[in-house]
Amino acid sequence: MLHYTLLYIFVLAIEILNAELQKQVLANHEDLLSQATWVEKLEGVLSIMQSHVQSLLSAVERLRGKIIDPFNRIETQTIVLARLHETSDLLRRVARMQHLSKRLYSQMTNNVQGPDIIKAANSLHELEQLMIDTDLNGLDVIADDQQAVKAHRTTVQRIATHTLSQGLQTIDRTKVSTAVQVFQNLGIVNGAVDNVIDSALLEIEKIATESLDVTLAPNQDLGKRAAPGRAAIPSLGSSGNLRTRIWENLERLFQDTLYTHCLQIELLQRILLEHHTKGLDELSQKFWDKVNSLLSKVLIERAQGSSFVKQALEGEYPKFLRIFLDLSKRLKERSQSIGIYNINHNVLFPFENAYLSRSVSRLLDPVHTMFSGEGLPTPDEIDSLIRTVTNELSVSLVDDGLSTVVARNVGKAVRLFCLKCEQGLLVSGEASQVIDSPTTVQQTNVSLANLLYYLSNQISRVIANLYGLPSEGSAVISVALKEIDVLTNNMLAPLLASINDAIESIILTMHDDAEFRDPSSPIGKEINCSLYMRELQGFILRSVNTFLIPYKNQAVVAECCKSVASRCIQLFVRHAVLLRPLTDFGRAKLIVDFNQIEVAVAPLCRGGQLGSSEQQQYRTLRALKALLPLSPDEIVEKVLEGERECGIPHSLVLLYLFSRAPPELVSPHQSASWSVSRLSQWMDKNPNERDRLTFCSGPLERYQLTIRQQNLPSFHPLFPLMKKLANLNEQ
């Protein structure tokens, strides 16, 4: 049923299509007729064009016949001409080769003085170019010539090699230049240079190995050629003779063999540069680098193979370094390029490190030994260490770098000595007492300090007399020696602290002296220094003579004493202005004490001038002594008008004016309920002048408040003067 339906639909569609076509034909029949007419005309045009194409093809065929035949004839003639040209060129080359062969033969045989190898090399070079550019194999006419060229080339190359060898051995520029020119013409100059270098390195390696071979028989022949370093080393006999022979061989190896070969290579490089040879401008540097690498290998191998050689090179490394340095110096003197022959320390490092390890052991072991017993080291033991230091430094003078390293080792020995002395230092209470005679502990500390001073003096003398020691090495040792002074200073510190404490205790007793505040003492009475001042003078003199003079390092002692003197003056001035009340007789007595304090500190100031801080304290002492006889008005006026010339801290002047103030104007420490000792401690911790003036202003403000509260008519005349000084803090 479905098929019938589809068939019906198809038939219906065809009928619709026919109907549509008829409709279109009826509507456009005029256009369709016009198109049919043009189709007929197009067929006529195509027919005409076909006839024209046929005519064109016939013409092309005729033209082709006229061109191809001449072309084929020309092509054949061109091939014949090319072959004739090649044959002609080959004949010319053969003729040229035969001519050059005859000329080469003449150059090799007809010269009375021998073959002219430069001209022969030129001919060989041209012949080889001819044979390279053209394939001449299989030509019987030149077969003999080719064989002759090969033979002559071998001969010329052999003669040039021999000439180069002779020229280098005799340093003959002419022969070397001739050989180089020949090798350049032959095109093998690079290979010839490589052969020269390889031959030189082989000879150096052989001689170096034989020089350090301690197993050779006494009568063994080391070669027919009398080359440097080829001396036989007997395997029997004393080690001293054997060691001497090794150093003689090394001396010849470096000063003869290596020196000669380096000069030869340098001559060869100059000749090559003259001939404008490229790529060989650093020949000497490359050869020197190879020599250093070769020496490093041979030395390490021989040292590993023989303990005797190892001991010789390590134990006497400075001698080996001197030989190397002498070679480098000689080569630099002959060479125009100073930087070429620098020493490669890779050759020396293994032996240098071993030597320095032994050197530091030789320097440190005596220090450990001298402190290993129960007693202190003796001067003889220190002298032994000094001899070791002198020997180590003297041997190292062959090179600044080695001397500097050895100097560092000397510095280590000095520091170890300081450490041992510091460990032996006794720090108990007996070490710092200054009341009785020196104790055993103090004597031991003095002995340690004197040993340090003796060591420092001896080493300083060695450095001064050791000419050639580099400045860097001297500086290294000097820095280490300064540590001795630092340690001595630390040894003296507890003792000086005790002396300072005792001085302060003595000065504090001035506040217990009734004569300063006794109004009944007559002014005209003869005034002597106070008892505390006599005690202070005696104590300082005894301390210096008993406890400080035994130290031989008086330079350090003098520096330390300067600080003690400064502290003594500072405390005296401080407590002098704190005396209260102070009568006119007490003021006169205090002036005498101001004169005597200089006598008291004189033993501490021997041997040099005071430092800047000590001089400041001394100026304050003198300036304050000049103010004591003056009235308060004059004192304040002098301080305010001549502030710079006065040189006295305003706080000290203000404290001194409190001594003349009425009882109701209490001193600053009394206002704070402090003792004089505590005030002194506070002033040590607060050196700032502004803080001190602020502290002194408190009692003034309280006094002013009290006067106002009591409605008193006026202040004490001293109050405005003191207020002026205190107000400087606010400016």
Side-chain angles (χ1 to χ4, degrees):
M1 189 66 182
L2 179 61
H3 294 290
Y4 289 112
T5 303
L6 292 175
L7 181 60
Y8 174 76
I9 293 172
F10 181 70
V11 172
L12 182 60
I14 291 175
E15 291 178 355
I16 294 172
L17 180 60
N18 288 333
E20 185 63 27
L21 287 174
Q22 291 177 1
K23 181 180 179 181
Q24 290 295 328
V25 170
L26 290 174
N28 301 294
H29 65 279
E30 293 181 359
D31 293 334
L32 292 175
L33 290 175
S34 177
Q35 292 294 331
T37 303
W38 279 107
V39 169
E40 293 177 356
K41 291 180 180 180
L42 180 60
E43 289 178 353
V45 172
L46 290 176
S47 177
I48 295 171
M49 290 301 297
Q50 184 176 5
S51 62
H52 288 317
V53 170
Q54 291 296 328
S55 299
L56 180 60
L57 290 175
S58 299
V60 169
E61 286 294 332
R62 289 193 301 272
L63 182 60
R64 180 180 179 188
K66 293 179 180 180
I67 292 176
I68 290 178
D69 292 340
F71 173 78
N72 290 335
R73 288 194 299 271
I74 292 173
E75 184 179 23
T76 302
Q77 291 175 0
T78 302
I79 293 173
V80 172
L81 181 61
R83 291 174 179 175
L84 288 174
H85 178 73
E86 290 178 359
T87 303
S88 175
D89 183 66
L90 180 61
L91 290 174
R92 284 197 302 270
R93 289 179 181 272
V94 169
R96 179 62 179 168
M97 184 174 179
Q98 289 178 337
H99 173 73
L100 291 173
S101 297
K102 291 179 181 179
R103 188 171 69 180
L104 177 61
Y105 178 77
S106 175
Q107 293 167 348
M108 295 295 293
T109 57
N110 294 339
N111 195 342
V112 178
Q113 298 179 353
D116 190 347
I117 58 175
I118 294 180
K119 294 182 179 179
N122 285 329
S123 298
L124 284 170
H125 178 69
E126 189 174 352
L127 283 167
E128 289 176 348
Q129 290 297 322
L130 288 173
M131 289 186 290
I132 291 173
D133 294 341
T134 306
D135 186 9
L136 301 178
N137 293 328
L139 295 178
D140 295 338
V141 69
I142 61 172
D144 294 338
D145 293 331
Q146 289 177 325
Q147 294 296 327
V149 168
K150 293 180 181 179
H152 290 322
R153 178 184 174 84
T154 303
T155 302
V156 170
Q157 186 173 343
R158 176 176 51 80
I159 295 174
T161 302
H162 181 69
T163 302
L164 179 60
S165 178
Q166 284 187 333
L168 291 176
Q169 289 179 1
T170 58
I171 313 298
D172 189 334
R173 293 179 57 87
T174 303
K175 289 184 177 181
V176 175
S177 180
T178 299
V180 169
Q181 183 65 51
V182 171
F183 287 128
Q184 277 189 329
N185 292 336
L186 294 178
I188 57 173
V189 63
N190 289 333
V193 171
D194 292 340
N195 290 335
V196 170
I197 292 178
D198 293 341
S199 177
L201 292 175
L202 286 174
E203 184 175 358
I204 292 172
E205 183 177 10
K206 181 180 179 182
I207 295 175
T209 303
E210 293 172 352
S211 298
L212 297 173
D213 192 352
V214 296
T215 61
L216 297 177
N219 297 325
Q220 183 177 355
D221 186 6
L222 295 179
K224 296 181 180 180
R225 294 177 59 190
R230 289 175 177 258
I233 302 178
S235 58
L236 302 175
S238 67
S239 60
N241 293 335
L242 194 58
R243 187 182 295 270
T244 301
R245 183 62 61 86
I246 287 178
W247 288 114
E248 290 176 353
N249 288 345
L250 286 175
E251 188 81 26
R252 285 194 293 270
L253 169 66
F254 279 82
Q255 301 305 325
D256 292 340
T257 304
L258 292 178
Y259 179 72
T260 300
H261 280 298
C262 287
L263 290 185
Q264 292 174 358
I265 298 301
E266 189 170 341
L267 172 62
L268 179 59
Q269 177 178 321
R270 288 198 295 268
I271 300 298
L272 290 169
L273 292 176
E274 291 174 1
H275 287 81
H276 306 289
T277 304
K278 296 181 179 180
L280 298 174
D281 52 339
E282 296 183 355
L283 183 62
S284 295
Q285 182 64 62
K286 294 177 181 178
F287 177 73
W288 180 249
D289 293 340
K290 291 182 179 180
V291 166
N292 279 279
S293 299
L294 177 62
L295 287 176
S296 178
K297 183 190 75 170
V298 172
L299 291 171
I300 292 176
E301 288 178 353
R302 302 313 300 165
Q304 292 176 347
S306 171
S307 59
F308 188 83
V309 173
K310 183 178 181 180
Q311 292 174 0
L313 294 176
E314 293 179 354
E316 298 183 68
Y317 168 75
K319 183 184 292 186
F320 176 52
L321 178 60
R322 179 189 58 77
I323 295 174
F324 212 153
L325 289 171
D326 289 345
L327 170 63
S328 177
K329 182 179 179 181
R330 287 183 65 194
L331 290 173
K332 288 181 178 180
E333 290 174 352
R334 290 290 301 269
S335 174
Q336 297 178 355
S337 301
I338 303 300
I340 290 180
Y341 299 107
N342 293 325
I343 293 181
N344 185 348
H345 286 277
N346 291 330
V347 181
L348 307 173
F349 274 152
F351 311 105
E352 182 180 30
N353 291 337
Y355 173 79
L356 292 176
S357 297
R358 296 181 180 182
S359 174
V360 73
S361 297
R362 287 192 292 267
L363 290 168
L364 297 182
D365 288 346
V367 180
H368 288 293
T369 302
M370 68 177 68
F371 284 95
S372 61
E374 295 182 357
L376 297 178
T378 63
D380 291 339
E381 290 176 323
I382 297 179
D383 289 338
S384 176
L385 174 62
I386 297 301
R387 286 192 293 271
T388 302
V389 169
T390 304
N391 182 65
E392 293 296 324
L393 290 175
S394 300
V395 171
S396 71
L397 294 179
V398 296
D399 179 60
D400 289 351
L402 180 63
S403 297
T404 302
V405 177
V406 173
R408 293 194 185 100
N409 291 341
V410 173
K412 292 178 182 178
V414 172
R415 292 185 179 90
L416 178 62
F417 192 93
C418 291
L419 178 62
K420 294 292 185 179
C421 288
E422 188 174 8
Q423 291 174 348
L425 187 65
L426 302 176
V427 293
S428 62
E430 296 181 2
S432 58
Q433 68 86 27
V434 290
I435 304 301
D436 297 328
S437 300
T439 62
T440 304
V441 172
Q442 290 176 319
Q443 292 174 355
T444 300
N445 291 344
V446 170
S447 299
L448 287 173
N450 290 340
L451 288 175
L452 287 168
Y453 179 68
Y454 181 74
L455 176 69
S456 177
N457 268 355
Q458 294 299 101
I459 293 182
S460 298
R461 186 178 294 111
V462 169
I463 296 175
N465 297 330
L466 200 62
Y467 300 103
L469 186 66
S471 57
E472 184 178 358
S474 300
V476 168
I477 298 177
S478 298
V479 170
L481 293 179
K482 288 180 180 178
E483 296 186 11
I484 291 180
D485 292 344
V486 173
L487 180 57
T488 303
N489 199 342
N490 294 337
M491 289 180 173
L492 287 168
L495 181 64
L496 295 175
S498 296
I499 293 176
N500 280 328
D501 291 342
I503 288 174
E504 186 172 9
S505 298
I506 294 173
I507 291 177
L508 277 171
T509 60
M510 74 164 61
H511 297 283
D512 300 329
D513 192 340
E515 290 187 348
F516 286 115
R517 58 181 63 90
D518 187 3
S520 61
S521 298
I523 299 298
K525 178 183 177 182
E526 182 181 359
I527 302 176
N528 298 317
C529 68
S530 303
L531 293 178
Y532 79 90
M533 183 58 65
R534 293 178 183 176
E535 182 182 0
L536 180 63
Q537 292 174 350
F539 172 76
I540 291 177
L541 181 61
R542 184 177 65 85
S543 296
V544 171
N545 292 335
T546 303
F547 296 102
L548 298 180
I549 284 183
Y551 287 89
K552 295 182 179 180
N553 194 349
Q554 285 300 306
V556 175
V557 172
E559 288 298 321
C560 295
C561 287
K562 289 179 183 179
S563 63
V564 176
S566 174
R567 177 64 175 171
C568 180
I569 295 173
Q570 180 188 41
L571 290 173
F572 172 76
V573 170
R574 179 182 298 172
H575 288 282
V577 299
L578 292 175
L579 285 172
R580 186 176 182 181
L582 186 64
T583 62
D584 293 338
F585 177 80
R587 189 175 301 106
K589 188 176 181 64
L590 187 60
I591 293 174
V592 174
D593 290 344
F594 264 80
N595 292 326
Q596 291 298 316
I597 190 64
E598 297 183 30
V599 178
V601 299
L604 295 170
C605 300
R606 293 182 299 177
Q609 298 295 328
L610 291 174
S612 58
S613 61
E614 292 81 5
Q615 290 177 355
Q616 178 62 36
Q617 298 296 339
Y618 188 72
R619 286 194 295 268
T620 302
L621 174 71
R622 287 294 184 90
L624 185 59
K625 183 177 70 172
L627 295 179
L628 290 179
L630 303 179
S631 65
D633 292 334
E634 294 173 333
I635 292 175
V636 174
E637 182 180 0
K638 189 173 183 61
V639 171
L640 295 179
E641 292 181 357
E643 186 173 341
R644 292 185 178 180
E645 293 77 6
C646 183
I648 306 176
H650 295 161
S651 59
L652 289 180
V653 178
L654 189 57
L655 288 173
Y656 172 68
L657 293 178
F658 273 103
S659 66
R660 297 188 174 188
E664 57 270 16
L665 184 55
V666 297
S667 297
H669 65 284
Q670 294 172 338
S671 176
S673 300
W674 288 357
S675 64
V676 175
S677 177
R678 184 175 178 183
L679 175 61
S680 178
Q681 294 174 2
W682 181 88
M683 295 179 71
D684 289 334
K685 295 178 181 179
N686 296 270
N688 185 272
E689 184 67 10
R690 183 178 296 273
D691 295 338
R692 292 183 177 184
L693 287 174
T694 300
F695 180 75
C696 294
S697 298
L700 296 177
E701 294 175 357
R702 282 189 287 273
Y703 170 75
Q704 183 179 9
L705 181 61
T706 301
I707 295 299
R708 289 176 178 176
Q709 289 176 349
Q710 295 177 359
N711 293 322
L712 296 178
S714 63
F715 297 102
H716 189 276
L718 193 58
F719 174 77
L721 300 175
M722 299 175 69
K723 194 66 175 176
K724 286 183 180 180
L725 291 177
N727 289 339
L728 292 176
N729 183 38
E730 301 175 0
Q731 297 178 0

